[in-house]
Amino acid sequence: MKHSTQRHARGRNHLAMSITHILTGGALLLAGAAFATSASAQERATNLDRITVTGSNIPRTDTETPSPVQVVTRQEIDRTGKTTVAEYLQTLTSDGSGSIPKSFGNGFAGGGAGISLRGLGAGSTLVLLNGRRMATYGLADDGQKVFTDLSTIPLDAVERVEVLKDGASSVYGSDAIAGVVNIILRSDFTGTILRGSYGMSGDSDGDAKKGTLTTGVGSLAEDGWNAFVSVDVGKTDGIKVSDRRDRKWIGTGDLRRWGYSAGGSQFLGGAITGGGTGGGASLTGSIFNPTTGLLESLPGCDQFSNISPQDPGGGCLWDQADYRDLSPEEKYVNVFSRATFAFGETSEAYVELGYSKKETTFTNTPSGVSGGWGYPGGPVNANSGPGAVVLAVGHPDNPYNEPVRVRYSAFDVGPRVTNNENEFTRFLAGLKGSWGEWNYDTGYLHSSTNLVNKRDGFLRYSAVQCVLGDLACPAGTWNIGAGSEGNPQSLYDYISPTIQATAKSSLDMFDFKVNRSLTDLPGGPLGLALGTEWRRTTNSLKPQTYTDQGDIIGLGYSAYDGTQNVYAGFAELSAPVLESLELSAAVRYDKYESGEDAVKPKAGFKWTPAEWFALRGTYAEGFRAPNPAENGDGGLAAFSNALDPVRCPGGTPAPGGTQDDCGQQPVAIITRPNPDLEAEESKSYTLGIVLQPTRTTSITVDAWRIKRTNEIAQGSTADAIAAGNVLRDSDLLNGVPGTGSILAINTGYVNASASKVEGIDTDIRQDIPLGNAGDLRLDLQWSHTSKFERTEGGTTHEYAGTHGNCDVTNCIGTPKDRINFGATWNYHDWSVSGIVNYISSMDNLAETGGTKEDDCLNFYADGSPAPGNCEIASFTTFDLSANWKATEGLEIFGSVANVFDRVAPLDPATYGGINYNPLHFSGAIGRYFTVGAKYTFN
């Protein structure tokens, strides 16, 4: 991909780069008319400069197109101080709910990192490398959404990133419902660059060491060939939540200092709730008195917990932050290489090789010995009923003459540790060049991932029942709490074996694309592009050991296996019908071997009545067939949070209940694949203006709307609860049947009615020459989400500005506004940048329409809505970076993230982080320093 040698105004260049994305599909419909053009007209057609922009295969003479595309240069990435592609892309204002942060190491897709444009999910955001797809990550997010892992891409090889923000692309695939992120790497390089950096937090932890070597030989122009390789290696130390003990609510699960009850603190364990009917999973253990039916704590709390004050309900409180990681440990190596060989007059052959290996280790709290979870056979209830975990008569911790139900957090087993090791490979071989009037590009791509997920510290249900409930168990008797020091290692090996899951994905693709100019129109040459594509994708996940039997306590089940063969053809036309008016049209046909097929168009216009003003707009339709995790073989049993209208109707505790029953409750959700699922479809619209009032000022404002129908999602948990499709515990309210705490919810994948997301994007850039003092560039990106509706069963839920949709990853929420404001000052050999990042506040509600008094997701101990007046506060950080070119070859750089050490707002509802929202991750880590050097050998 090459840049134009002509000079154009900067702001308009950025805006125009988007439009070419859109044009591919329509050409198939228009090809007949195009080929009817006379030979003399073809001879008159103007040859176009070769400018390739994400979203189109038609070369252009300028870079202004109808679609909104955000173009991120390498310099813009470097000034943020981010050291990985994923970390940078998740700061984009267009990223939203459903993105996958590295901090959520205990999720289904732990170890991966994904972007979710418009909050529509990582599975609806198409990520490309040099304009072509990549194999998806081995683990599906939430067990459902397959996505591309951003952490496999070496940052030092990145030339720029282009983000198509107007929805489905007829060029790359109609399944790009939320948009396209195209990461463009170097196409050739000569010389050697050595780069190293070291990062450390203000608390002297989270050390990040990184080294990169990029070297290339040969000149394509002079030698007829070029080859280069970029190698990226690094290691980042993990950070414990407890390492932030003095950082307000970040380093502790105990929220009582901020007005919450023990039971209302999601990450404070051991509280006995409901007057003794529930809770009690602590480091000492608790048992149900067979006479009263109420929980009572086993002795020894002072030995294991320094929490003060202790539980007035009689439990043994302990802080889950003592065991859980805030950020995982990571080790990685990324390699990218490319060789290009010229042949003939105008053609070249190219080969790309990529390899990545990444290991991530995340530590979480110890496992309990009871609870509720699910597997393909249905829900498991280890709390009550015939499946309850009990202490046998004669067990050292059972003072009664009958078996007693037990609650216990197995600290003596140790924390639960998840280790993901992922290998990614990519091979591409292709030819491109000119043949007569046609330009062509064709290639074969193979890409694959191979992932091993190992887990330690998890408990096998049947083994726990044996060593606690059967004194004749061959493995012995498990003494819990204060008596655990005498347990032999052989017992722990029996109840907590190492378990693992393996996941594989692959992508094989062949594509062929051509383009040419047909004839001259009043505004310029009429451009045509045609293309075809075949791809095969496979995704398989063998479930965690024993989870297919429901035999791992508290661990959900996820498995899938399937193959998709897809055939596609697309075409596009770009028609500058007037000097002031350009029209574009595209159409794409996708045929899935499973039977789904669709023809989806895309169209756009750009009207430029004056040199300083342009009006632009697009319309596109999208199509995404169900993936193997949704309609293949397998299933999902996961964990989420839900409100219980039985124990807390209308926001008021039911008789016998407490205010703790009115907050979000952790539940298991069992979801079954649905072979009758239909494909998702979408319609997206954009309408915007491009202003360039001066040579140094550019402003773009684009309104956008995406409507997705037949959306594939888990059936509504609220509807399942209302219909009684739940498994409840035995902690009844005043003995009323059917009022126990929810343990599990049964549902399945369904085609929900629709989602509608709309908003406005603003991009402002201003260059300020400072004469002898250098120059200053100011830029601002602002994404405002005005609507995020989801309609299910005739009921519409609005999430914009709230903590919902909590069925989406991590319960991140949907803030209405995200703003990035940057300033870069260049002076001789110095460059200094500052960036302000802003995320607006959001109501701590599951959706709009309710009242904070009744429907808040959390409440203080006094029953008032929390936090504040049921609102997650806004969050603003400031990042600073500098670069000094010390010599011709040597550059010194450094950065400080979160310069003012802002603390992430208290968020007691999310489960992606302890008391903070993953969107505010930098406020959990705190101030972070990075220094490094780059040397270029000429």
Side-chain angles (χ1 to χ4, degrees):
M1 299 188 179
K2 302 178 181 177
H3 293 287
S4 170
T5 57
Q6 300 178 358
R7 295 182 58 87
H8 300 283
R10 293 184 184 175
R12 299 182 71 179
N13 283 353
H14 283 302
L15 299 168
M17 281 180 139
S18 37
I19 310 282
T20 332
H21 250 298
I22 304 171
L23 310 177
T24 15
L28 285 177
L29 295 179
L30 302 170
F35 282 119
T37 306
S38 65
S40 59
Q42 294 177 12
E43 292 172 0
R44 292 195 303 270
T46 303
N47 290 325
L48 301 176
D49 292 342
R50 189 168 181 80
I51 305 171
T52 304
V53 182
T54 294
S56 176
N57 287 309
I58 298 178
R60 305 174 56 86
T61 56
D62 65 12
T63 55
E64 295 185 7
T65 59
S67 293
V69 171
Q70 181 178 355
V71 180
V72 182
T73 65
R74 178 54 191 268
Q75 290 72 28
E76 289 177 306
I77 298 174
D78 286 343
R79 72 177 185 174
T80 66
K82 305 300 183 185
T83 58
T84 68
V85 173
E87 287 179 323
Y88 175 78
L89 290 178
Q90 288 176 350
T91 68
L92 296 179
T93 61
S94 53
D95 184 39
S97 298
S99 64
I100 303 165
K102 72 174 186 178
S103 59
F104 196 37
N106 61 329
F108 275 102
I115 182 173
S116 170
L117 293 177
R118 307 305 188 196
L120 290 173
S124 294
T125 302
L126 181 58
V127 176
L128 306 172
L129 187 64
N130 288 344
R132 287 182 168 95
R133 294 175 182 247
M134 303 162 60
T136 56
Y137 190 56
L139 300 176
D141 182 36
D142 285 342
Q144 174 196 359
K145 312 172 193 77
V146 295
F147 69 98
T148 302
D149 180 21
L150 298 169
S151 60
T152 61
I153 301 167
L155 180 61
D156 212 53
V158 174
E159 181 179 293
R160 66 185 186 277
V161 179
E162 297 178 355
V163 183
L164 175 69
K165 299 192 290 185
D166 65 347
S169 167
S170 297
V171 176
Y172 304 115
S174 301
D175 56 341
I177 288 175
V180 178
V181 177
N182 188 10
I183 301 167
I184 300 169
L185 306 185
R186 302 175 189 268
S187 57
D188 60 79
F189 177 76
T190 302
T192 299
I193 296 177
L194 186 63
R195 180 186 179 106
S197 66
Y198 181 83
M200 182 176 64
S201 78
D203 290 275
S204 301
D205 57 14
D207 296 16
K209 307 175 225 16
K210 180 179 177 181
T212 302
L213 174 66
T214 303
T215 184
V217 294
S219 167
L220 197 61
E222 297 178 6
D223 305 320
W225 64 278
N226 174 261
F228 73 94
V229 61
S230 181
V231 181
D232 199 10
V233 297
K235 179 181 183 296
T236 302
D237 294 340
I239 300 176
K240 298 288 185 185
V241 173
S242 57
D243 293 337
R244 296 297 180 268
R245 181 71 74 201
D246 298 325
R247 195 171 176 79
K248 295 185 178 180
W249 43 77
I250 300 299
T252 178
D254 189 354
L255 294 180
R256 290 177 296 172
R257 281 179 286 168
W258 295 277
Y260 297 81
S261 66
S265 300
Q266 183 183 172
F267 299 100
L268 182 64
I272 291 180
T273 59
T277 61
S282 71
L283 307 182
T284 62
S286 57
I287 57 176
F288 282 88
N289 184 312
T291 302
T292 65
L294 301 179
L295 274 168
E296 54 189 34
S297 181
L298 294 173
C301 188
D302 292 343
Q303 178 181 347
F304 300 112
S305 176
N306 57 4
I307 295 291
S308 180
Q310 264 298 325
D311 181 23
C316 178
L317 300 180
W318 62 285
D319 196 338
Q320 296 183 17
D322 292 339
Y323 294 89
R324 180 163 164 168
D325 280 346
L326 178 67
S327 181
E329 177 185 295
E330 295 180 315
K331 303 174 186 177
Y332 62 87
V333 55
N334 295 324
V335 181
F336 175 77
S337 61
R338 179 181 170 99
T340 310
F341 307 91
F343 66 93
E345 294 292 327
T346 59
S347 298
E348 60 187 50
Y350 56 90
V351 177
E352 294 179 0
L353 292 173
Y355 174 80
S356 172
K357 184 174 182 179
K358 179 181 177 183
E359 183 177 353
T360 304
T361 303
F362 187 89
T363 302
N364 204 357
T365 53
S367 174
V369 300
S370 55
W373 61 95
Y375 76 112
V380 177
N381 182 3
N383 272 351
S384 57
V389 175
V390 300
L391 298 183
V393 176
H395 187 283
D397 297 298
N398 181 5
Y400 300 102
N401 292 322
E402 59 182 282
V404 293
R405 291 185 291 138
V406 62
R407 305 284 173 86
Y408 177 54
S409 293
F411 78 97
D412 52 318
V413 175
R416 289 171 291 176
V417 180
T418 300
N419 178 275
N420 284 315
E421 186 174 289
N422 184 49
E423 285 190 279
F424 169 83
T425 58
R426 179 177 180 270
F427 168 77
L428 171 67
L431 300 171
K432 67 178 182 179
S434 299
W435 182 38
E437 298 293 326
W438 293 91
N439 302 311
Y440 67 89
D441 189 353
T442 184
Y444 167 73
L445 171 70
H446 173 77
S447 180
S448 65
T449 64
N450 193 339
L451 183 143
V452 177
N453 174 277
K454 291 184 178 180
R455 302 188 186 224
D456 293 294
F458 288 79
L459 299 178
R460 190 171 181 189
Y461 177 43
S462 59
V464 167
Q465 287 181 307
C466 181
V467 296
L468 292 180
D470 182 2
L471 296 184
C473 182
T477 298
W478 182 14
N479 298 313
I480 63 175
S484 61
E485 292 183 358
N487 293 322
Q489 183 61 43
S490 59
L491 181 140
Y492 291 121
D493 293 341
Y494 173 67
I495 63 175
S496 182
T498 297
I499 59 176
Q500 75 172 44
T502 57
K504 295 182 179 181
S505 69
S506 67
L507 167 67
D508 288 278
M509 187 175 81
F510 171 79
D511 60 16
F512 181 76
K513 300 170 287 188
V514 295
N515 68 76
R516 64 163 299 166
S517 301
L518 294 175
T519 188
D520 281 345
L521 298 176
L526 173 66
L528 167 70
L530 303 168
T532 187
E533 175 185 301
W534 167 83
R535 68 178 186 272
R536 170 181 291 170
T537 60
T538 64
N539 294 90
S540 66
L541 171 63
K542 294 183 179 179
Q544 288 285 342
T545 318
Y546 305 122
T547 60
D548 56 340
Q549 307 165 34
D551 204 26
I552 298 296
I553 294 176
L555 183 58
Y557 169 86
S558 180
Y560 42 82
D561 187 18
T563 300
Q564 285 183 336
N565 284 288
V566 185
Y567 307 87
F570 55 88
E572 61 173 318
L573 280 176
S574 175
V577 294
L578 301 172
E579 289 187 4
S580 61
L581 179 62
E582 176 187 349
L583 301 178
S584 61
V587 67
R588 182 183 182 95
Y589 173 71
D590 287 289
K591 170 67 175 178
Y592 287 76
E593 194 175 51
S594 56
E596 298 94 346
D597 68 341
V599 177
K600 295 299 178 183
K602 192 166 190 179
F605 76 92
K606 184 189 69 176
W607 178 49
T608 312
E611 185 177 350
W612 58 272
F613 173 80
L615 178 69
R616 63 184 180 185
T618 62
Y619 168 79
E621 295 184 8
F623 169 87
R624 185 183 77 84
N627 66 49
E630 296 163 335
N631 71 349
D633 297 327
L636 172 67
F639 293 89
S640 185
N641 292 337
L643 295 173
D644 189 345
V646 172
R647 296 176 70 90
C648 184
T652 302
T658 69
Q659 193 62 49
D660 292 341
D661 293 312
C662 292
Q664 289 270 312
Q665 306 297 320
V667 296
I669 301 178
I670 303 169
T671 310
R672 292 177 174 82
N674 183 354
D676 297 324
L677 288 174
E678 298 177 359
E680 294 181 344
E681 298 195 51
S682 70
K683 294 182 179 180
S684 57
Y685 313 80
T686 66
L687 183 64
I689 59 173
V690 182
L691 300 175
Q692 190 171 6
T694 71
R695 184 179 59 83
T696 58
T697 306
S698 69
I699 303 170
T700 67
V701 181
D702 292 282
W704 51 269
R705 171 188 288 177
I706 300 175
K707 183 175 182 179
R708 179 167 59 184
T709 56
N710 283 337
E711 180 181 354
I712 300 172
Q714 291 177 340
S716 168
T717 55
D719 290 346
I721 294 171
N725 295 324
V726 298
L727 172 68
R728 290 185 177 271
D729 202 355
S730 62
D731 55 339
L732 306 180
L733 301 181
N734 292 339
V736 177
T739 60
S741 298
I742 297 175
L743 295 175
I745 300 172
N746 288 302
T747 185
Y749 291 118
V750 297
N751 287 109
S753 179
S755 288
K756 182 188 294 184
V757 188
E758 60 184 45
I760 297 176
D761 285 344
T762 301
D763 191 315
I764 303 174
R765 298 174 187 266
Q766 176 69 56
D767 290 340
I768 304 175
L770 301 176
N772 293 333
D775 63 81
L776 179 67
R777 161 161 279 198
L778 306 177
D779 61 275
L780 179 144
Q781 295 81 44
W782 175 14
S783 291
H784 173 75
T785 301
S786 58
K787 180 180 292 186
F788 198 125
E789 292 181 349
R790 184 175 180 185
T791 302
E792 300 173 281
T795 302
T796 297
H797 309 271
E798 172 60 69
Y799 300 117
T802 75
H803 215 310
N805 178 357
C806 276
D807 289 338
V808 177
T809 303
N810 300 332
C811 200
I812 284 176
T814 311
K816 286 189 174 182
D817 295 288
R818 294 190 66 173
I819 301 174
N820 294 337
F821 172 69
T824 300
W825 175 49
N826 296 303
Y827 178 71
H828 296 304
D829 296 325
W830 284 89
S831 178
V832 180
S833 296
I835 301 175
V836 177
N837 309 282
Y838 170 80
I839 300 173
S840 64
S841 64
M842 54 188 173
D843 293 335
N844 193 26
L845 297 169
E847 58 183 279
T848 62
T851 65
K852 294 183 178 181
E853 292 74 16
D854 295 333
D855 300 300
C856 194
L857 295 182
N858 300 93
F859 293 89
Y860 292 117
D862 63 6
S864 60
N869 185 29
C870 195
E871 181 179 285
I872 309 301
S874 64
F875 185 55
T876 304
T877 58
F878 176 67
D879 301 332
L880 185 66
S881 65
N883 184 286
W884 173 44
K885 190 171 184 179
T887 68
E888 184 66 26
L890 177 64
E891 294 181 35
I892 308 296
F893 57 88
S895 66
V896 184
N898 195 1
V899 171
F900 300 110
D901 202 21
R902 293 288 305 277
V903 178
L906 174 60
D907 184 349
T910 186
Y911 54 91
I914 290 187
N915 301 330
Y916 75 92
N917 194 296
L919 287 174
H920 309 145
F921 179 65
S922 63
I925 294 293
R927 189 182 291 118
Y928 196 90
F929 302 90
T930 302
V931 295
K934 170 184 172 182
Y935 193 84
T936 302
F937 298 87
N938 295 322

